[in-house]
Amino acid sequence: MLSFKHEVFFEVARLRSFTKASHVLFVSQPAISRNIKELEHEYKESLFERKGNSISLTDAGQLVFNSLLKARTIEKQLQYDISVFHDQYKAKGELKLGASTTVALYIIPTILSSFHQKHEHVTISLLNRNSESVLQALLAHEIDLGIIEGRNKSPRVKSQHFLTDEVVAVCSPRNPISKRKKVNLHEVVKEPIAIRENGSGTLAALKHALGLHRIKLSDLKVRVRLGGTEALKNFIVADSCIGFLPKRAVAKELNSGELIQLNINKLTITRQFYFIQRHGDESNGLCNAFVKFSKAHYNIK
């Protein structure tokens, strides 16, 4: 087990802040400083450089930090391996996940519930951010496993396909176009549209699908841009605009009739979700167990 001094150092180094580390560890800032000084005295090296209100790692500090990253990984793996030595369902450990919005809200909750029922001794946390933020959290060792949209090309990350998500065109039944069995794409271009904000994965999928038909987002009659799937969905329910949303996000509204799915001729919008892990952490037993469980949940091989 790592000493408390090493845990203090790790959090200060990760957060680049004595104050933030004290909040994370629930100890006073003087206690944080005292533990760092004791560790520096033990190693006979300065571990941080102080420049005004900011701090950075010295070369010695970076060496200690890199070593602690490896040690923490080994410690987590050992805890998992020992706990499942005789029974995989008695697994112990902490699983820190990060997922983009669609996954966090509409895909992962049922998996988390089922997984926790079988592995009740595993502590699970979920970070809900956009895909780029999830990637950064993974690289910063804030999470152990991420689920993001699109295959990441970072050489520091390994991607593994999870599932395919469908984005559909929907509108309120008050919109006359909802009565049509089929709608041509050129007709949709003339209709008022509500879309997600720039940087949204749903918007990127829409842009790609339209581009295959040589249609730009600027060709649409965009009346409003909204941040967040729920905000856009609730707006479309109340308005007459057409919107594009993940089918999983509007399943209840389609079933109740609050929204109608439009069958737009020759327009298919899909996006891919991937599990991401840091290279070197592929043997993490708990993460691998969760990936396998998640795929089995959706009958994915």
Side-chain angles (χ1 to χ4, degrees), residues 24-38:
V24 169
L25 295 171
F26 300 102
V27 296
S28 68
Q29 193 165 330
I32 295 290
S33 299
R34 184 176 63 254
N35 277 277
I36 295 298
K37 287 180 180 178
E38 289 177 1

mmCIF file with all atom_site columns, all heavy atoms in Angstrom, residues 24-38:
data_model
loop_
_atom_site.group_PDB
_atom_site.id
_atom_site.type_symbol
_atom_site.label_atom_id
_atom_site.label_alt_id
_atom_site.label_comp_id
_atom_site.label_asym_id
_atom_site.label_entity_id
_atom_site.label_seq_id
_atom_site.pdbx_PDB_ins_code
_atom_site.Cartn_x
_atom_site.Cartn_y
_atom_site.Cartn_z
_atom_site.occupancy
_atom_site.B_iso_or_equiv
_atom_site.pdbx_formal_charge
_atom_site.auth_seq_id
_atom_site.auth_comp_id
_atom_site.auth_asym_id
_atom_site.auth_atom_id
_atom_site.pdbx_PDB_model_num
ATOM 1   N N   . VAL A 1 24 ? -9.687  17.341 -2.102 1.00 0.00 ? 24 VAL A N   1
ATOM 2   C CA  . VAL A 1 24 ? -9.885  15.962 -2.552 1.00 0.00 ? 24 VAL A CA  1
ATOM 3   C C   . VAL A 1 24 ? -9.626  14.967 -1.426 1.00 0.00 ? 24 VAL A C   1
ATOM 4   O O   . VAL A 1 24 ? -10.346 13.981 -1.262 1.00 0.00 ? 24 VAL A O   1
ATOM 5   C CB  . VAL A 1 24 ? -8.957  15.655 -3.756 1.00 0.00 ? 24 VAL A CB  1
ATOM 6   C CG1 . VAL A 1 24 ? -8.943  14.150 -4.066 1.00 0.00 ? 24 VAL A CG1 1
ATOM 7   C CG2 . VAL A 1 24 ? -9.405  16.432 -4.983 1.00 0.00 ? 24 VAL A CG2 1
ATOM 8   N N   . LEU A 1 25 ? -8.604  15.251 -0.618 1.00 0.00 ? 25 LEU A N   1
ATOM 9   C CA  . LEU A 1 25 ? -8.204  14.315 0.440  1.00 0.00 ? 25 LEU A CA  1
ATOM 10  C C   . LEU A 1 25 ? -8.859  14.607 1.792  1.00 0.00 ? 25 LEU A C   1
ATOM 11  O O   . LEU A 1 25 ? -8.662  13.861 2.750  1.00 0.00 ? 25 LEU A O   1
ATOM 12  C CB  . LEU A 1 25 ? -6.676  14.355 0.602  1.00 0.00 ? 25 LEU A CB  1
ATOM 13  C CG  . LEU A 1 25 ? -5.873  13.867 -0.609 1.00 0.00 ? 25 LEU A CG  1
ATOM 14  C CD1 . LEU A 1 25 ? -4.392  14.153 -0.421 1.00 0.00 ? 25 LEU A CD1 1
ATOM 15  C CD2 . LEU A 1 25 ? -6.100  12.383 -0.844 1.00 0.00 ? 25 LEU A CD2 1
ATOM 16  N N   . PHE A 1 26 ? -9.605  15.711 1.854  1.00 0.00 ? 26 PHE A N   1
ATOM 17  C CA  . PHE A 1 26 ? -10.309 16.092 3.085  1.00 0.00 ? 26 PHE A CA  1
ATOM 18  C C   . PHE A 1 26 ? -9.348  16.298 4.261  1.00 0.00 ? 26 PHE A C   1
ATOM 19  O O   . PHE A 1 26 ? -9.599  15.847 5.376  1.00 0.00 ? 26 PHE A O   1
ATOM 20  C CB  . PHE A 1 26 ? -11.366 15.042 3.460  1.00 0.00 ? 26 PHE A CB  1
ATOM 21  C CG  . PHE A 1 26 ? -12.410 14.841 2.409  1.00 0.00 ? 26 PHE A CG  1
ATOM 22  C CD1 . PHE A 1 26 ? -12.360 13.741 1.571  1.00 0.00 ? 26 PHE A CD1 1
ATOM 23  C CD2 . PHE A 1 26 ? -13.439 15.761 2.232  1.00 0.00 ? 26 PHE A CD2 1
ATOM 24  C CE1 . PHE A 1 26 ? -13.320 13.549 0.581  1.00 0.00 ? 26 PHE A CE1 1
ATOM 25  C CE2 . PHE A 1 26 ? -14.401 15.585 1.242  1.00 0.00 ? 26 PHE A CE2 1
ATOM 26  C CZ  . PHE A 1 26 ? -14.344 14.471 0.424  1.00 0.00 ? 26 PHE A CZ  1
ATOM 27  N N   . VAL A 1 27 ? -8.243  16.941 3.981  1.00 0.00 ? 27 VAL A N   1
ATOM 28  C CA  . VAL A 1 27 ? -7.294  17.306 5.031  1.00 0.00 ? 27 VAL A CA  1
ATOM 29  C C   . VAL A 1 27 ? -6.947  18.781 4.870  1.00 0.00 ? 27 VAL A C   1
ATOM 30  O O   . VAL A 1 27 ? -7.174  19.378 3.817  1.00 0.00 ? 27 VAL A O   1
ATOM 31  C CB  . VAL A 1 27 ? -6.008  16.451 4.977  1.00 0.00 ? 27 VAL A CB  1
ATOM 32  C CG1 . VAL A 1 27 ? -6.317  14.994 5.245  1.00 0.00 ? 27 VAL A CG1 1
ATOM 33  C CG2 . VAL A 1 27 ? -5.300  16.619 3.649  1.00 0.00 ? 27 VAL A CG2 1
ATOM 34  N N   . SER A 1 28 ? -6.406  19.368 5.919  1.00 0.00 ? 28 SER A N   1
ATOM 35  C CA  . SER A 1 28 ? -6.085  20.792 5.879  1.00 0.00 ? 28 SER A CA  1
ATOM 36  C C   . SER A 1 28 ? -4.901  21.060 4.948  1.00 0.00 ? 28 SER A C   1
ATOM 37  O O   . SER A 1 28 ? -4.070  20.179 4.704  1.00 0.00 ? 28 SER A O   1
ATOM 38  C CB  . SER A 1 28 ? -5.756  21.305 7.279  1.00 0.00 ? 28 SER A CB  1
ATOM 39  O OG  . SER A 1 28 ? -4.543  20.738 7.740  1.00 0.00 ? 28 SER A OG  1
ATOM 40  N N   . GLN A 1 29 ? -4.814  22.291 4.473  1.00 0.00 ? 29 GLN A N   1
ATOM 41  C CA  . GLN A 1 29 ? -3.703  22.646 3.605  1.00 0.00 ? 29 GLN A CA  1
ATOM 42  C C   . GLN A 1 29 ? -2.361  22.587 4.339  1.00 0.00 ? 29 GLN A C   1
ATOM 43  O O   . GLN A 1 29 ? -1.369  22.149 3.741  1.00 0.00 ? 29 GLN A O   1
ATOM 44  C CB  . GLN A 1 29 ? -3.930  24.032 2.994  1.00 0.00 ? 29 GLN A CB  1
ATOM 45  C CG  . GLN A 1 29 ? -2.982  24.332 1.836  1.00 0.00 ? 29 GLN A CG  1
ATOM 46  C CD  . GLN A 1 29 ? -3.439  25.512 1.008  1.00 0.00 ? 29 GLN A CD  1
ATOM 47  O OE1 . GLN A 1 29 ? -4.625  25.778 0.895  1.00 0.00 ? 29 GLN A OE1 1
ATOM 48  N NE2 . GLN A 1 29 ? -2.484  26.225 0.426  1.00 0.00 ? 29 GLN A NE2 1
ATOM 49  N N   . PRO A 1 30 ? -2.296  23.001 5.613  1.00 0.00 ? 30 PRO A N   1
ATOM 50  C CA  . PRO A 1 30 ? -1.023  22.839 6.337  1.00 0.00 ? 30 PRO A CA  1
ATOM 51  C C   . PRO A 1 30 ? -0.572  21.384 6.414  1.00 0.00 ? 30 PRO A C   1
ATOM 52  O O   . PRO A 1 30 ? 0.622   21.096 6.341  1.00 0.00 ? 30 PRO A O   1
ATOM 53  C CB  . PRO A 1 30 ? -1.350  23.392 7.729  1.00 0.00 ? 30 PRO A CB  1
ATOM 54  C CG  . PRO A 1 30 ? -2.413  24.409 7.480  1.00 0.00 ? 30 PRO A CG  1
ATOM 55  C CD  . PRO A 1 30 ? -3.256  23.811 6.394  1.00 0.00 ? 30 PRO A CD  1
ATOM 56  N N   . ALA A 1 31 ? -1.558  20.453 6.534  1.00 0.00 ? 31 ALA A N   1
ATOM 57  C CA  . ALA A 1 31 ? -1.217  19.026 6.567  1.00 0.00 ? 31 ALA A CA  1
ATOM 58  C C   . ALA A 1 31 ? -0.665  18.571 5.222  1.00 0.00 ? 31 ALA A C   1
ATOM 59  O O   . ALA A 1 31 ? 0.250   17.734 5.156  1.00 0.00 ? 31 ALA A O   1
ATOM 60  C CB  . ALA A 1 31 ? -2.440  18.200 6.940  1.00 0.00 ? 31 ALA A CB  1
ATOM 61  N N   . ILE A 1 32 ? -1.213  19.130 4.151  1.00 0.00 ? 32 ILE A N   1
ATOM 62  C CA  . ILE A 1 32 ? -0.707  18.818 2.811  1.00 0.00 ? 32 ILE A CA  1
ATOM 63  C C   . ILE A 1 32 ? 0.741   19.264 2.701  1.00 0.00 ? 32 ILE A C   1
ATOM 64  O O   . ILE A 1 32 ? 1.628   18.510 2.281  1.00 0.00 ? 32 ILE A O   1
ATOM 65  C CB  . ILE A 1 32 ? -1.558  19.508 1.730  1.00 0.00 ? 32 ILE A CB  1
ATOM 66  C CG1 . ILE A 1 32 ? -2.988  18.966 1.714  1.00 0.00 ? 32 ILE A CG1 1
ATOM 67  C CG2 . ILE A 1 32 ? -0.905  19.349 0.350  1.00 0.00 ? 32 ILE A CG2 1
ATOM 68  C CD1 . ILE A 1 32 ? -3.134  17.564 1.207  1.00 0.00 ? 32 ILE A CD1 1
ATOM 69  N N   . SER A 1 33 ? 1.001   20.497 3.093  1.00 0.00 ? 33 SER A N   1
ATOM 70  C CA  . SER A 1 33 ? 2.363   21.046 3.010  1.00 0.00 ? 33 SER A CA  1
ATOM 71  C C   . SER A 1 33 ? 3.338   20.259 3.862  1.00 0.00 ? 33 SER A C   1
ATOM 72  O O   . SER A 1 33 ? 4.477   19.993 3.461  1.00 0.00 ? 33 SER A O   1
ATOM 73  C CB  . SER A 1 33 ? 2.353   22.519 3.450  1.00 0.00 ? 33 SER A CB  1
ATOM 74  O OG  . SER A 1 33 ? 1.521   23.300 2.616  1.00 0.00 ? 33 SER A OG  1
ATOM 75  N N   . ARG A 1 34 ? 2.888   19.854 5.055  1.00 0.00 ? 34 ARG A N   1
ATOM 76  C CA  . ARG A 1 34 ? 3.755   19.107 5.959  1.00 0.00 ? 34 ARG A CA  1
ATOM 77  C C   . ARG A 1 34 ? 4.150   17.761 5.356  1.00 0.00 ? 34 ARG A C   1
ATOM 78  O O   . ARG A 1 34 ? 5.321   17.351 5.427  1.00 0.00 ? 34 ARG A O   1
ATOM 79  C CB  . ARG A 1 34 ? 3.056   18.906 7.305  1.00 0.00 ? 34 ARG A CB  1
ATOM 80  C CG  . ARG A 1 34 ? 3.948   18.200 8.336  1.00 0.00 ? 34 ARG A CG  1
ATOM 81  C CD  . ARG A 1 34 ? 3.283   18.101 9.691  1.00 0.00 ? 34 ARG A CD  1
ATOM 82  N NE  . ARG A 1 34 ? 2.077   17.293 9.668  1.00 0.00 ? 34 ARG A NE  1
ATOM 83  C CZ  . ARG A 1 34 ? 0.834   17.783 9.737  1.00 0.00 ? 34 ARG A CZ  1
ATOM 84  N NH1 . ARG A 1 34 ? 0.629   19.100 9.819  1.00 0.00 ? 34 ARG A NH1 1
ATOM 85  N NH2 . ARG A 1 34 ? -0.206  16.983 9.705  1.00 0.00 ? 34 ARG A NH2 1
ATOM 86  N N   . ASN A 1 35 ? 3.205   17.077 4.743  1.00 0.00 ? 35 ASN A N   1
ATOM 87  C CA  . ASN A 1 35 ? 3.502   15.770 4.147  1.00 0.00 ? 35 ASN A CA  1
ATOM 88  C C   . ASN A 1 35 ? 4.444   15.897 2.952  1.00 0.00 ? 35 ASN A C   1
ATOM 89  O O   . ASN A 1 35 ? 5.307   15.040 2.757  1.00 0.00 ? 35 ASN A O   1
ATOM 90  C CB  . ASN A 1 35 ? 2.201   15.074 3.723  1.00 0.00 ? 35 ASN A CB  1
ATOM 91  C CG  . ASN A 1 35 ? 1.525   14.348 4.868  1.00 0.00 ? 35 ASN A CG  1
ATOM 92  O OD1 . ASN A 1 35 ? 1.864   13.222 5.191  1.00 0.00 ? 35 ASN A OD1 1
ATOM 93  N ND2 . ASN A 1 35 ? 0.558   15.021 5.500  1.00 0.00 ? 35 ASN A ND2 1
ATOM 94  N N   . ILE A 1 36 ? 4.274   16.955 2.186  1.00 0.00 ? 36 ILE A N   1
ATOM 95  C CA  . ILE A 1 36 ? 5.172   17.175 1.045  1.00 0.00 ? 36 ILE A CA  1
ATOM 96  C C   . ILE A 1 36 ? 6.587   17.451 1.536  1.00 0.00 ? 36 ILE A C   1
ATOM 97  O O   . ILE A 1 36 ? 7.573   16.911 1.005  1.00 0.00 ? 36 ILE A O   1
ATOM 98  C CB  . ILE A 1 36 ? 4.673   18.331 0.162  1.00 0.00 ? 36 ILE A CB  1
ATOM 99  C CG1 . ILE A 1 36 ? 3.328   17.968 -0.491 1.00 0.00 ? 36 ILE A CG1 1
ATOM 100 C CG2 . ILE A 1 36 ? 5.704   18.677 -0.901 1.00 0.00 ? 36 ILE A CG2 1
ATOM 101 C CD1 . ILE A 1 36 ? 3.384   16.767 -1.410 1.00 0.00 ? 36 ILE A CD1 1
ATOM 102 N N   . LYS A 1 37 ? 6.716   18.281 2.569  1.00 0.00 ? 37 LYS A N   1
ATOM 103 C CA  . LYS A 1 37 ? 8.035   18.585 3.125  1.00 0.00 ? 37 LYS A CA  1
ATOM 104 C C   . LYS A 1 37 ? 8.709   17.328 3.673  1.00 0.00 ? 37 LYS A C   1
ATOM 105 O O   . LYS A 1 37 ? 9.916   17.129 3.503  1.00 0.00 ? 37 LYS A O   1
ATOM 106 C CB  . LYS A 1 37 ? 7.900   19.639 4.232  1.00 0.00 ? 37 LYS A CB  1
ATOM 107 C CG  . LYS A 1 37 ? 7.603   21.048 3.715  1.00 0.00 ? 37 LYS A CG  1
ATOM 108 C CD  . LYS A 1 37 ? 7.493   22.043 4.856  1.00 0.00 ? 37 LYS A CD  1
ATOM 109 C CE  . LYS A 1 37 ? 7.194   23.443 4.329  1.00 0.00 ? 37 LYS A CE  1
ATOM 110 N NZ  . LYS A 1 37 ? 7.046   24.423 5.437  1.00 0.00 ? 37 LYS A NZ  1
ATOM 111 N N   . GLU A 1 38 ? 7.927   16.473 4.321  1.00 0.00 ? 38 GLU A N   1
ATOM 112 C CA  . GLU A 1 38 ? 8.482   15.230 4.864  1.00 0.00 ? 38 GLU A CA  1
ATOM 113 C C   . GLU A 1 38 ? 8.974   14.321 3.738  1.00 0.00 ? 38 GLU A C   1
ATOM 114 O O   . GLU A 1 38 ? 10.023  13.668 3.858  1.00 0.00 ? 38 GLU A O   1
ATOM 115 C CB  . GLU A 1 38 ? 7.429   14.508 5.703  1.00 0.00 ? 38 GLU A CB  1
ATOM 116 C CG  . GLU A 1 38 ? 7.114   15.203 7.026  1.00 0.00 ? 38 GLU A CG  1
ATOM 117 C CD  . GLU A 1 38 ? 6.020   14.490 7.803  1.00 0.00 ? 38 GLU A CD  1
ATOM 118 O OE1 . GLU A 1 38 ? 5.522   13.447 7.313  1.00 0.00 ? 38 GLU A OE1 1
ATOM 119 O OE2 . GLU A 1 38 ? 5.656   14.975 8.895  1.00 0.00 ? 38 GLU A OE2 1
#
